[in-house]
């Protein structure tokens, strides 16, 4: 499973843009955006809550597995912000 996760991370990191925002945070933002974009037509603004909960659970998992993961409050912020932007974009379409 760890090998699969490493391959997915390597693939996703190729899509990061060069800027002051770390690639890790860009991927968190993109995941939040995608989840919210998929859920918004079905549950509306609750999609933001779902994204925030998913992000929180992911960071809790990282906290409980410090040997292979790093929990970071800013990862949660980036994912949730991506969810907010995803909700707004889909709502405006």
């Amino acid at each position: 499973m760890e090998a699969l996760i490493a391959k997915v991370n390597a693939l996703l990191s190729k899509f990061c843009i060069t800027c002051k925002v770390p690639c890790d945070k860009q991927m968190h933002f993109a995941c939040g955006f995608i989840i919210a974009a998929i859920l918004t037509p079905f549950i509306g603004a609750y999609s933001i809550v779902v994204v925030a909960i998913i992000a929180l659970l992911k960071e809790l998992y990282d906290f409980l597995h410090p040997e292979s993961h790093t929990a970071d409050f800013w990862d949660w912020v980036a994912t949730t912000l991506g969810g907010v932007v995803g909700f707004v974009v889909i709502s405006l379409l």
Side-chain angles (χ1 to χ4, degrees), residues 1 3 5-6 16-17 19-20 25 27 31 33-34 37-38 41 46 48 57 59 68 72 74 79-82 86 91:
M1 183 58 133
I5 292 170
C16 291
I17 60 171
C19 65
K20 292 185 180 187
K25 302 304 183 264
M27 289 192 293
C31 288
F33 183 96
I34 291 167
I38 292 169
Y46 290 113
I48 297 169
L57 292 173
E59 293 309 312
S68 58
D72 184 3
W74 295 107
T79 307
T80 303
L81 183 59
S91 294

Side-chain angles (χ1 to χ4, degrees), residues 7-18 23 26-27:
K7 288 181 181 182
V8 170
N9 283 338
L11 175 67
L12 291 175
S13 66
K14 292 179 182 180
F15 295 100
C16 291
I17 60 171
T18 304
C23 183
Q26 292 179 42
M27 289 192 293

Side-chain angles (χ1 to χ4, degrees), residues 25-40 47-48 50-52 54-55 75-87:
K25 302 304 183 264
Q26 292 179 42
M27 289 192 293
H28 277 275
F29 182 92
C31 288
F33 183 96
I34 291 167
I35 293 168
I38 292 169
L39 293 178
T40 296
S47 62
I48 297 169
V50 172
V51 169
I54 290 170
D75 287 350
W76 176 81
V77 170
T79 307
T80 303
L81 183 59
V84 170
V85 173
F87 165 74

